[in-house]
Amino acid sequence: MNKLTALAADRVGKTSTYDEVSQATYGSASETTELIGNGNGNDNRTKARDSKSSTTKSSFPPLREERSLSCLGASCQYFRENFTTITIVILLLVIFALAGENASSMGEAADLVEDKQSALDIQWRPCQVYLGDSTGISSVKVVQTSLGDPSTHWGQIPCLVRNEHRINMNNFDETQWNWFFSSSTMEKPIEYGMPSANVKVDFDAVAHPEREPIMGFGGAFTEASALNYMSLNEEGREAVIELLFGKEGLGYSLGRVHMNSCDFSVKSYNFDDVDGDFNLTNFDVKVEHDVTSGMIEFMLQANNKLKEDWSEKGINIMASPWSPPAWMKKPTWNDPPGALHAEGMTGSALPNCLREGTGPDSRYAATWALYFSKFLAAYKAWGVNLFAVTVQNEPEFPAPWEACAYDPKNEADFISNHLGPVLRRDHPDVKLLIFDHNKDHAVTWASYILNKTNPSSDFVDGTAVHWYAGGMDRLLDGSQGAPNMHRLMSMLKSKDVKKDHLVLGSEACHCPSTGYAGGDLSVAWARAERYGHTILSDLAAGSNGWVEWNLVLDSLGGPNHLGNMCDAPILAVPYRVGGKHNVTVLPTFEHADFPFGPVVGDTRTREELNAMGFPAEYLDKGVVVQPMFYYMGHISRHVRPGSRAVHAIADQADLGTKAFLQTIGNTTIAGGGINNLARPGIEVTLWPCEGSTRQEWTMSDDGQLQVFGHDWLGKPTVSCIGSVVDASFEGILLSPCDGSAGRFTMENRVNSTVNILVKNSKNSASENCVIAKPLKNNGGAYGPRGGAQVAIGSCDSDAAMWNFDSTSGEIKSNFFEKDGGEVCATTGWPFLQVGAFIGPDGEQNKTIVVLNEASEPANYVLRNGDGGVFM
């Protein structure tokens, strides 16, 4: 018997069946009510490392999707036509469970032996959903993916529903967490612990009403992806199409394809390799290479599936070039002296790859622009109508693979002199996106190219950005540039750029190798969390969508003809069909020869992998589905094209409690588990205080402000707040604890606040204080307190007033008090995050995505814009 059901049944004097308990607790919930949850809901106490929590299965029977209405005639019709559906989508590192050894998962709660204690004594509460006029909710679905139970993805959590007419919401405060089991009386409640965090959502406050809505999410149809897709048998290919584009999968609606080869090709190729063919008479109008590799078929199958399952217009695919044919390129440093052009497509001259440059008289620039037009027409002839092109993939990087470098002036000249006019003449419906590189310089490029005095601005429809960090520290990928996204949105407004200007995340992946090959579930999970964080952050800033890199790779993360192996949510392992393991058969197109050692995932049985969250049902079809896939699905399945971000933030509770801060006796301990962002290069930001190790600072004897943690591989890390404002990000970054770190001293101000002076700053004495720096774009959907920067500036300003709590290690500021309360200095971002969205049909579909990266659960309550309780 399910223990939660048994307890509830005992309270209402009924037999312990779920339907009878729900009858006593649901009241008059509207029809199509989907209440899915774990009886202990969204705030229980367990640790992800508690192995017991990963094996317990739910004993709840399936929920009925329809329930009767307590209404007659016309009022029933009103409910059917006007009820609001809120989908509360929960992504958690740990499973919702109660405590310690009693931790459980997916619906089976531990014994509720403490239910007579006061609310202030108990540190958890059950999942409860509040229906009624003030919340605007009449149907709720709660979905969870958690490392606590990795084999259960998108698990539906049963919650108990309470109707507001039985609760005095006007007098409801955070000490009143009473769970009533009687349908007729409020006597003898069970009291539960008050929340330690408020997740605040305002569905009436659209964050970017003037911008285009969200277009969707997707991935790239690279040659590597197509070859891996085609390596599967028919059952495997059908599974991949369903997983990526179907109703049961991610429902991807965006895509990207490389024009000519890229590093994720077997070798370099193009469609006209005849030197001096300025009219492109030899261009392969059948783009045979992309047909024979399976790229075209993959795209057509995706488009058909999306339209069939989602009733949407079809997939929007953009094309990006990595390199022109070698004969159009200037020689590089690797070419023989005196060469007329580059010998190959890899690498690039600086600052402009094209022979004769990008001026109006450049024959090669004119031919390269015509090449775009020919490519678009060739794809259209196959039924693939590309909706956009980017000017150049990663124009700042003369990469060792296919590349073509520009600086902002050269890209602007290529647009205004050649590409823009050709597209307007031949393909006026195709959008043109600039930059297509990392966030650190996105504002610089957009400011130049979109300046009204620049002729290029007239041809541009959007800006594409990548998620990578500029250096070679791959653990920083996806962590940098959030304030720059807000700065970009603000710049678009200030320069009066047309309101339909798109901003798209056009590439993201983890490198090197794959989570499956490495075999460390914690690393695979951390990669999934980084996906979740970055997508929510980009959407909060105003991004219109997010496209990851390869859709499908092999077990090593290839093929890649330069050995640049990377990860993907789905991997093709056709040699595992039929339950085989302890065997690795690389496809004929893969020549990497195990650069990172044996594939650990191949040594595990289907049962072992299934328990780790790699579903056996797909392994049997030759497909590995990784945790990144499921994290992606929490967003892409629910935030459909046409959706919009609304204001939402995870805040401390009204009574001052914090999500992770623990007090034992007279000792205050920062919670949340190990800080994996204590790493040089991470931005120092300001968020509501959550009492976690991401907000715990130590002052060393020599005045360094240090933060400690571990990286994803378990290596201990220590970093310090830097001494300068980074030129690209315009805020302070974490640095090594060496000469580049700041040396700080505290000087008293008023009301127990201090100035934090940077002793080794090169600024003048009056301008060398640590300050809170507001975000541009007013913080987007997060608001001013959601990721404001830390910089160096005037010691006399209110922004320079801090409170350093040496007990908790928190560096606190009240600079944003008028915007909701105090904030704490944070390494990157907090453990507890949220994103909220309204669907394309407005009131009918709403989504809340809660992401907890901590290794401890968060006991929180969801509140709407006027403070009412959702859950």
Side-chain angles (χ1 to χ4, degrees):
M1 179 187 302
N2 182 282
K3 297 174 184 177
L4 178 63
T5 306
L7 174 66
D10 178 65
R11 296 298 179 190
V12 298
K14 291 181 176 289
T15 56
S16 56
T17 66
Y18 184 85
D19 283 340
E20 289 174 320
V21 174
S22 63
Q23 182 180 2
T25 55
Y26 285 152
S28 57
S30 71
E31 67 180 339
T32 65
T33 298
E34 293 184 41
L35 291 162
I36 309 169
N38 139 345
N40 37 357
N42 54 350
D43 51 313
N44 314 289
R45 298 287 173 181
T46 188
K47 302 212 185 290
R49 51 187 174 271
D50 181 0
S51 61
K52 293 187 178 182
S53 68
S54 66
T55 57
T56 309
K57 300 296 183 182
S58 172
S59 57
F60 276 118
L63 293 180
R64 297 180 300 177
E65 292 192 355
E66 293 191 18
R67 299 197 178 277
S68 61
L69 285 166
S70 299
C71 58
L72 297 172
S75 62
C76 288
Q77 185 65 26
Y78 173 83
F79 275 109
R80 291 191 186 100
E81 294 178 352
N82 295 284
F83 73 90
T84 296
T85 299
I86 281 195
T87 303
I88 303 176
V89 184
I90 311 244
L91 306 110
L92 292 179
L93 175 65
V94 294
I95 196 73
F96 289 145
L98 293 183
E101 294 299 313
N102 289 327
S104 63
S105 65
M106 294 312 301
E108 185 165 2
D111 289 315
L112 306 183
V113 295
E114 299 177 298
D115 56 31
K116 294 183 179 179
Q117 296 185 24
S118 71
L120 294 175
D121 293 333
I122 302 176
Q123 298 302 307
W124 47 264
R125 62 187 176 84
C127 176
Q128 302 178 81
V129 176
Y130 297 82
L131 305 183
D133 294 337
S134 71
T135 65
I137 308 174
S138 62
S139 178
V140 177
K141 179 180 181 181
V142 183
V143 184
Q144 172 183 281
T145 291
S146 166
L147 184 55
D149 186 9
S151 63
T152 302
H153 297 291
W154 302 341
Q156 297 183 334
I157 303 172
C159 298
L160 294 178
V161 176
R162 297 173 61 184
N163 294 283
E164 286 190 21
H165 68 270
R166 292 168 47 204
I167 305 167
N168 186 352
M169 297 301 291
N170 293 328
N171 297 322
F172 193 89
D173 64 38
E174 294 193 359
T175 63
Q176 290 183 288
W177 292 104
N178 302 324
W179 193 6
F180 299 95
F181 290 102
S182 171
S183 60
S184 60
T185 179
M186 293 179 65
E187 297 177 356
K188 297 181 180 179
I190 303 173
E191 296 180 347
Y192 294 94
M194 62 184 178
S196 51
N198 272 332
V199 175
K200 299 176 179 177
V201 176
D202 189 349
F203 284 113
D204 294 325
V206 175
H208 310 281
E210 77 287 352
R211 288 186 47 74
E212 290 293 295
I214 294 167
M215 292 186 65
F217 310 89
F221 296 88
T222 59
E223 181 183 8
S225 293
L227 291 172
N228 279 294
Y229 168 70
M230 297 301 292
S231 74
L232 299 166
N233 61 26
E234 182 178 358
E235 187 179 28
R237 291 196 299 272
E238 289 177 354
V240 167
I241 292 296
E242 178 62 46
L243 284 165
L244 292 172
F245 308 101
K247 197 76 170 181
E248 300 303 315
L250 299 181
Y252 273 173
S253 57
L254 290 178
R256 187 173 182 233
V257 65
H258 44 88
M259 186 172 78
N260 296 340
S261 58
C262 69
D263 52 324
F264 279 91
S265 298
V266 175
K267 62 181 180 179
S268 295
Y269 71 88
N270 63 77
F271 300 106
D272 188 342
D273 214 16
V274 179
D275 191 356
D277 184 9
F278 296 114
N279 294 321
L280 298 179
T281 56
N282 294 287
F283 186 91
D284 178 10
V285 295
K286 294 184 178 180
V287 287
E288 184 175 350
H289 183 281
D290 291 3
V291 175
T292 57
S293 66
M295 294 167 64
I296 295 291
E297 178 180 339
F298 197 5
M299 286 180 259
L300 292 174
Q301 293 292 334
N303 188 60
N304 292 339
K305 188 64 175 177
L306 181 69
K307 290 194 292 187
E308 175 186 332
D309 279 20
W310 293 91
S311 300
E312 294 174 356
K313 66 178 182 179
I315 193 166
N316 285 309
I317 302 175
M318 70 184 110
S320 299
W322 265 241
S323 172
W327 61 270
M328 297 185 189
K329 298 175 63 174
K330 294 176 182 176
T332 72
W333 58 89
N334 288 323
D335 294 318
L340 294 177
H341 60 73
E343 287 195 342
M345 295 170 64
T346 58
S348 175
L350 292 170
N352 187 330
C353 85
L354 290 173
R355 295 171 73 180
E356 300 181 359
T358 54
D361 298 326
S362 171
R363 295 172 297 168
Y364 296 94
T367 304
W368 184 222
L370 179 61
Y371 197 105
F372 277 73
S373 178
K374 292 268 191 179
F375 182 83
L376 289 164
Y379 262 55
K380 188 173 185 177
W382 284 108
V384 179
N385 294 300
L386 299 169
F387 95 97
V389 295
T390 68
V391 180
Q392 173 60 41
N393 175 73
E394 299 187 346
E396 294 186 315
F397 185 27
W401 43 82
E402 289 83 345
C404 180
Y406 299 113
D407 59 17
K409 182 182 185 306
N410 281 295
E411 181 160 307
D413 288 347
F414 179 53
I415 293 169
S416 59
N417 293 326
H418 303 287
L419 184 57
V422 167
L423 290 180
R424 183 165 292 177
R425 179 194 71 203
D426 298 345
H427 304 280
D429 56 333
V430 174
K431 296 183 182 298
L432 179 61
L433 310 184
I434 61 170
F435 192 46
D436 207 11
H437 209 162
N438 303 337
K439 296 172 185 174
D440 48 357
H441 297 153
V443 179
T444 301
W445 280 66
S447 295
Y448 184 88
I449 296 174
L450 297 175
N451 192 304
K452 292 290 187 181
T453 63
N454 197 322
S456 60
S457 63
D458 186 47
F459 298 102
V460 176
D461 301 291
T463 302
V465 295
H466 293 189
W467 89 326
Y468 307 107
M472 294 308 292
D473 185 350
R474 296 280 63 89
L475 295 185
L476 288 178
D477 289 343
S479 70
Q480 294 182 328
N484 272 9
M485 289 292 285
H486 292 288
R487 200 168 288 117
L488 175 61
M489 300 301 173
S490 179
M491 184 277 299
L492 295 176
K493 294 178 184 177
S494 67
K495 291 190 176 296
D496 195 28
V497 174
K498 51 190 177 184
K499 296 186 184 304
D500 60 355
H501 185 95
L502 298 175
V503 175
L504 286 174
S506 56
E507 187 178 314
C509 72
H510 289 285
C511 306
S513 194
T514 67
Y516 175 80
D520 189 331
L521 183 59
S522 63
V523 173
W525 212 269
R527 288 181 167 187
E529 288 177 341
R530 186 63 59 82
Y531 260 35
H533 158 73
T534 307
I535 297 168
L536 293 179
S537 176
D538 281 6
L539 295 178
S543 173
N544 298 100
W546 201 83
V547 181
E548 63 184 341
W549 196 200
N550 300 273
L551 287 166
V552 190
L553 292 174
D554 63 29
S555 60
L556 302 182
N560 183 295
H561 72 102
L562 273 298
N564 183 31
M565 318 303 281
C566 294
D567 214 344
I570 290 179
L571 308 177
V573 288
Y575 50 87
R576 293 211 60 153
V577 171
K580 295 177 184 177
H581 76 287
N582 271 334
V583 58
T584 301
V585 181
L586 295 182
T588 56
F589 50 73
E590 179 58 85
H591 305 292
D593 196 25
F594 303 102
F596 305 103
V599 177
V600 176
D602 285 343
T603 68
R604 292 177 172 144
T605 67
R606 62 188 298 280
E607 291 77 18
E608 290 171 328
L609 288 167
N610 189 74
M612 295 174 65
F614 302 86
E617 64 174 304
Y618 296 112
L619 285 167
D620 292 343
K621 300 175 183 179
V623 177
V624 173
V625 184
Q626 301 202 94
M628 286 184 292
F629 173 91
Y630 293 101
Y631 267 55
M632 188 73 227
H634 274 279
I635 303 172
S636 65
R637 287 164 54 83
H638 305 284
V639 184
R640 298 306 301 164
S643 297
R644 292 183 178 275
V646 300
H647 284 284
I649 194 166
D651 207 344
Q652 64 188 53
D654 293 344
L655 297 182
T657 53
K658 300 171 185 176
F660 302 106
L661 195 66
Q662 302 177 29
T663 301
I664 302 175
N666 295 324
T667 303
T668 300
I669 301 173
I674 292 172
N675 180 5
N676 60 14
L677 296 179
R679 188 171 199 84
I682 293 291
E683 295 174 82
V684 183
T685 57
L686 297 169
W687 292 83
C689 303
E690 66 173 8
S692 77
T693 53
R694 289 187 177 175
Q695 297 177 340
E696 182 184 30
W697 305 88
T698 301
M699 176 77 86
S700 68
D701 292 340
D702 59 353
Q704 293 181 335
L705 284 168
Q706 302 174 326
V707 61
F708 299 89
H710 286 74
D711 65 19
W712 292 354
L713 304 177
K715 179 182 177 181
T717 59
V718 57
S719 298
C720 287
I721 295 181
S723 60
V724 298
V725 171
D726 184 84
S728 296
F729 298 113
E730 300 188 18
I732 299 177
L733 310 183
L734 292 181
S735 75
C737 294
D738 55 18
S740 62
R743 298 297 196 277
F744 302 97
T745 186
M746 311 282 182
E747 290 189 359
N748 291 331
R749 291 254 330 241
V750 297
N751 300 324
S752 301
T753 62
V754 297
N755 281 148
I756 303 177
L757 287 83
V758 191
K759 294 191 294 182
N760 55 338
S761 169
K762 295 181 180 180
N763 293 6
S764 65
S766 63
E767 297 288 329
N768 70 338
C769 282
V770 175
I771 63 169
K773 180 179 179 179
L775 290 169
K776 297 292 185 180
N777 195 33
N778 202 34
Y782 291 146
R785 299 166 66 228
Q789 293 183 278
V790 175
I792 299 174
S794 171
C795 297
D796 294 330
S797 70
D798 290 344
M801 298 172 64
W802 301 90
N803 183 297
F804 179 44
D805 187 335
S806 59
T807 301
S808 66
E810 293 171 316
I811 302 174
K812 296 183 282 191
S813 169
N814 283 312
F815 184 67
F816 300 101
E817 188 171 10
K818 63 180 176 57
D819 299 304
E822 68 181 4
V823 289
C824 281
T826 307
T827 54
W829 56 90
F831 283 120
L832 190 62
Q833 302 153 64
V834 62
F837 310 88
I838 56 172
D841 48 6
E843 288 298 311
Q844 290 301 308
N845 287 285
K846 301 176 180 178
T847 301
I848 302 171
V849 184
V850 176
L851 171 60
N852 181 12
E853 294 187 29
S855 59
E856 299 172 3
N859 176 8
Y860 62 84
V861 60
L862 293 176
R863 291 187 181 274
N864 60 16
D866 61 4
V869 178
F870 288 139
M871 177 177 168

